[in-house]
Amino acid sequence: MSRLFANRDAALAAIVVALVLLIGLRSPVFLSPASIVGVLTDTSFLFMLTLAQMAIILTRGIDLSVAANVGLVGMLSALASRAHPDVPIVLIILMSIGLGALLGALNGALIAGFSIPPIVVTLGTLSIYRGAIFLIAGGAWLTSKDMTPAFIAFPKLSLLGAPILIVIAVVVSLGFWLLFDHTRIGRSLYAVGGNPVAARYCGIDLGRQQFFVHTLAGAVSGLCGYLWVSRYGIAYTDIAQGYELTIIAACVIGGVSIAGGIGTVAGALLGALFLGVVVNALPVIDVSPFWQTLISGAVILAAVVVNARGSRRVGKIILREARQKAAQGSAA
Amino acid sequence: MSAVTEPRYAVADRPPRRLSDLLLRWETILVGFFIVVFAINIRLSPYFLDAYNLSDATFNFSEKAILALGMALLIIVRDIDLSIAATIAVASLAMGEAAQAGASTPALILIGLCVGIVCGAFNGFLVTRFALPSIVVTIGTMSLYRGIAQVVLGDQALTKYPPSFQALGQGYLWRGLFPISFAVFLVLAAAFAVVIHRTTIGRKVFAIGANPTAALFSGVNVDGIRFWLFTLTGLLAGLAAVLLTGRIGSTRPNIALGFELEVVTMVVFGGVAIAGGAGTIIGVVLAVFVLGYTTFGLSLINVPGIVINILNGVLLIVSIAAPTLAKRLMGRRA
């Protein structure tokens, strides 16, 4: 369970609860069950994509192309549904997951195959995937009129009394928890991020892990791509643009270390929830949505500074001793 | 009988420079790219090879090119600054508000530069004081700075700028052939090249990038230099804000949106190692020209900007993958 809960996760949970209660104090409607379900439904994309990004960041990587992947697969799924209206929705969803995985695998192959830093590859594929949306759709907007009723209806379904988006997010989260905490692959991800050299000596291949996490993140992005387009009933070139940074922000707030090897499922989910609550609460408490960017920036900075205090100077003991000796030497 | 004692250790001389070394340098390859881009563009459009068009094309990349100089140094010391575009937004906002209040052009320039310095120094302070990864810090400050512009401006725009201020971003130095912004970039690039490649400061910068710990033990003030590089990059962002705001004559909350990734692309395409410790200013300058004139040539034949972005993305990946691929192919042959 150590990777599901950590002390700082409890602190973050307390902060999120306090935030929700504070907002509820100002406008009690925010605490109504309908509102809470609404916030969770809105945040379900962020939950899934944050966990996918976390898997990559654990291996010291980063993926800037996830949002472009979401947009491209979303557009493809909408086009596919328009071209073949009688294809069952399950097939469309499976196709989206597959296409997303393919785009992610391309990232992974470039990163692992050519030993290119993930930030460079995904910076490149971000432009490529985003441009591809424009090319395949000719710059057109697809609205709900272009989509079949079944395509639109799926994200509005309920399962066990909960919106299906929340159910999917829960299932995906459980999957990531099982992966990180209960499989050999998960442990390898932490090992690679914690110390790549040591991991190599233990027989863990960095390239294989990189390929795996990027493909996995691609599959999750593909799923989110279909869900995003069908939920909002619109597909266009700039869909989900800039969302990659929101996802990374959620990871950082959730205590996933950008230096790799550190992070918990609960932390990542709480980081995503924090941003989700902020975004949804602003209109409720009559704050202009223009504040959203500023607040998330301030929260990211606060989160990294607080995290740094806990983990600073670990592994730099020799250097610190050298510095102290130098200081004593100059004082004497 | 005097025995000639062989020296116990032999230090080999550096092997003589061969022509193939020069030809395989990334900068040489970039010159090749540059020639190819020009040749293709001349074939594609009769309007490309025109002194006025070629000089006006620089308006579209000079501001980003100025930012690329600072970003190159940051990447060489293993850092990165993703907040530069947002810094431009804040600096432009401050200048816009001051212009509304009737500030003169010199005052506006000073305000723009100072806001840039403050934003950059804040990044540098957070990164060095708390030993934080710069990518995370600057993603945070990117939201923070951009957020300030959004909160203050909302959906409004500031458009009241004195003509002499706008002339900075739109004007020419010589017969309508030499845009001011381009001249600023060239002067800065020359200064950067000298400082980085010919002074001890530059030597220290590369030392930090190659091995920060070894640099620290060699007496280099690692955190001090990193702090000043962030501040310098902020200053360049302030300068870019002056030129950009003057050029488009307005400040909107989304000004310069997305510049940071284009600038990183320029720097990495210019051969600066993303892992730090290697790179040249001339490489970055060449990359600026290759990317800038690719964009210009394609837009002349009406290719949409987003499609040009695809090409830039492919160029970025191919340029990084090519050396590895070449090495592997050669290894197989041997």
Side-chain angles (χ1 to χ4, degrees), chain A residues 316-328, chain B residues 217:
Chain A
K316 288 186 183 168
I317 294 166
I318 300 171
L319 212 55
R320 191 172 54 194
E321 283 174 354
R323 271 188 181 137
Q324 280 169 352
K325 270 184 193 156
Q328 284 163 0
Chain B
F217 276 104

Side-chain angles (χ1 to χ4, degrees), chain A residues 221-246:
Chain A
S221 306
L223 173 65
C224 288
Y226 158 72
L227 292 173
W228 190 299
V229 165
S230 57
R231 170 155 203 251
Y232 296 111
I234 191 158
Y236 54 101
T237 305
D238 291 338
I239 202 159
Q241 187 149 43
Y243 205 64
E244 62 273 359
L245 296 177
T246 308

Side-chain angles (χ1 to χ4, degrees), chain A residues 28-317:
Chain A
V29 67
F30 194 71
L31 297 181
S32 69
S35 155
I36 290 174
V37 168
V39 170
L40 291 175
T41 315
D42 269 348
T43 318
S44 51
F45 299 112
L46 193 54
F47 286 137
M48 293 186 267
L49 293 169
T50 301
L51 288 171
Q53 185 74 250
M54 172 183 158
I56 294 173
I57 294 180
L58 279 181
T59 67
R60 300 195 174 182
I62 198 154
D63 191 343
L64 298 176
S65 74
V66 275
N69 187 335
V70 167
L72 179 52
V73 173
M75 178 59 88
L76 284 168
S77 67
L79 287 172
S81 130
R82 187 176 67 171
H84 305 282
D86 26 287
V87 169
I89 200 67
V90 180
L91 273 184
I92 297 270
I93 294 173
L94 287 177
M95 181 205 78
S96 301
I97 296 174
L99 283 172
L102 208 64
L103 296 176
L106 177 62
N107 284 336
L110 287 167
I111 291 163
F114 295 102
S115 313
I116 314 176
I119 186 172
V120 176
V121 168
T122 56
L123 189 59
T125 52
L126 155 69
S127 306
I128 296 171
Y129 297 165
R130 189 62 73 184
I133 307 176
F134 179 89
L135 279 186
I136 56 166
W141 290 48
L142 264 67
T143 60
S144 48
K145 277 181 286 180
D146 300 304
M147 303 165 194
T148 61
F151 187 88
I152 306 270
F154 181 77
K156 297 187 174 60
L157 295 175
S158 286
L159 202 67
L160 311 168
I164 195 143
L165 282 174
I166 296 183
V167 175
I168 294 175
V170 167
V171 171
V172 169
S173 303
L174 280 175
F176 272 103
W177 173 67
L178 283 175
L179 174 76
F180 289 148
D181 270 22
H182 293 281
T183 67
R184 191 182 288 192
I185 298 172
R187 191 154 36 175
S188 306
L189 298 182
Y190 282 92
V192 162
N195 188 335
V197 178
R200 185 78 197 87
Y201 280 114
C202 298
I204 301 169
D205 182 35
L206 172 64
R208 193 175 294 177
Q209 309 299 327
Q210 286 175 323
F211 184 78
F212 170 73
V213 286
H214 280 278
T215 310
L216 180 67
V220 174
S221 306
L223 173 65
C224 288
Y226 158 72
L227 292 173
W228 190 299
V229 165
S230 57
R231 170 155 203 251
Y232 296 111
I234 191 158
Y236 54 101
T237 305
D238 291 338
I239 202 159
Q241 187 149 43
Y243 205 64
E244 62 273 359
L245 296 177
T246 308
I247 296 163
I248 297 168
C251 284
V252 170
I253 294 170
V256 180
S257 167
I258 212 87
I262 301 171
T264 64
V265 169
L269 290 175
L270 285 167
L273 182 61
F274 187 99
L275 286 181
V277 167
V278 169
V279 171
N280 281 279
L282 290 180
V284 177
I285 55 170
D286 281 336
V287 174
S288 144
F290 291 118
W291 280 90
Q292 184 191 318
T293 318
L294 195 153
I295 292 175
S296 59
V299 170
I300 294 168
L301 292 177
V304 285
V305 169
V306 169
N307 283 352
R309 281 164 177 257
S311 58
R312 195 149 50 114
R313 299 287 174 227
V314 175
K316 288 186 183 168
I317 294 166

Side-chain angles (χ1 to χ4, degrees), chain B residues 148-221:
Chain B
I148 292 172
Q150 286 177 348
V151 166
V152 176
L153 283 172
D155 51 3
Q156 302 297 306
L158 300 169
T159 54
K160 220 184 88 186
Y161 287 100
S164 62
F165 178 75
Q166 301 201 14
L168 279 174
Q170 301 167 357
Y172 299 87
L173 282 183
W174 183 67
R175 289 195 194 176
L177 266 180
F178 222 78
I180 294 174
S181 56
F182 186 54
V184 170
F185 164 64
L186 287 184
V187 169
L188 281 174
F192 269 67
V194 170
V195 171
I196 286 306
H197 299 305
R198 288 286 177 271
T199 69
T200 50
I201 300 171
R203 190 54 66 91
K204 285 175 186 169
V205 166
F206 281 103
I208 295 171
N211 188 334
T213 313
L216 183 63
F217 276 104
S218 312
V220 176
N221 182 0

Side-chain angles (χ1 to χ4, degrees), chain B residues 47-330:
Chain B
Y47 305 107
F48 183 79
L49 200 61
D50 173 284
Y52 290 95
N53 279 348
L54 287 179
S55 84
D56 274 2
T58 63
F59 277 117
N60 287 318
F61 58 75
S62 290
E63 294 111 3
K64 289 172 209 156
I66 289 170
L67 297 169
L69 296 172
M71 185 73 88
L73 299 197
L74 281 179
I75 293 184
I76 288 174
V77 297
R78 302 189 180 186
D79 279 312
I80 197 163
D81 185 351
L82 296 179
S83 73
I84 44 174
T87 302
I88 291 180
V90 181
S92 184
L93 167 72
M95 289 187 289
E97 294 289 347
Q100 303 279 318
S104 67
T105 299
L108 289 180
I109 297 173
L110 193 67
I111 289 170
L113 297 182
C114 287
V115 171
I117 289 175
V118 170
C119 289
F122 185 56
N123 284 334
F125 167 75
L126 289 175
V127 169
T128 56
R129 173 69 182 76
F130 298 102
L132 295 171
S134 53
I135 185 167
V136 178
V137 167
T138 57
I139 283 176
T141 52
M142 172 173 77
S143 295
L144 187 70
Y145 300 159
R146 181 70 69 185
I148 292 172
Q150 286 177 348
V151 166
V152 176
L153 283 172
D155 51 3
Q156 302 297 306
L158 300 169
T159 54
K160 220 184 88 186
Y161 287 100
S164 62
F165 178 75
Q166 301 201 14
L168 279 174
Q170 301 167 357
Y172 299 87
L173 282 183
W174 183 67
R175 289 195 194 176
L177 266 180
F178 222 78
I180 294 174
S181 56
F182 186 54
V184 170
F185 164 64
L186 287 184
V187 169
L188 281 174
F192 269 67
V194 170
V195 171
I196 286 306
H197 299 305
R198 288 286 177 271
T199 69
T200 50
I201 300 171
R203 190 54 66 91
K204 285 175 186 169
V205 166
F206 281 103
I208 295 171
N211 188 334
T213 313
L216 183 63
F217 276 104
S218 312
V220 176
N221 182 0
V222 174
D223 279 353
I225 289 181
R226 290 169 70 214
F227 173 81
W228 285 112
L229 288 182
F230 276 103
T231 311
L232 175 69
T233 305
L235 170 67
L236 292 177
L239 180 62
V242 170
L243 296 170
L244 181 65
T245 309
R247 176 158 72 89
I248 59 181
S250 75
T251 299
R252 286 169 212 283
N254 65 351
I255 186 172
L257 195 68
F259 269 27
E260 63 279 344
L261 296 186
E262 287 183 56
V263 169
V264 172
T265 305
M266 281 177 174
V267 172
V268 173
F269 186 58
V272 176
I274 199 92
T280 62
I281 295 296
I282 186 75
V284 174
V285 172
L286 285 168
V288 163
F289 284 127
V290 171
L291 294 174
Y293 280 109
T294 307
T295 306
F296 173 64
L298 289 174
S299 51
L300 266 186
I301 55 168
N302 294 324
V303 176
I306 189 146
V307 179
I308 299 173
N309 282 351
I310 299 186
L311 196 70
N312 287 346
V314 172
L315 266 183
L316 176 70
I317 293 176
V318 168
S319 68
I320 309 286
T324 317
L325 195 64
K327 231 175 270 172
R328 223 172 270 173
L329 288 176
M330 275 188 237

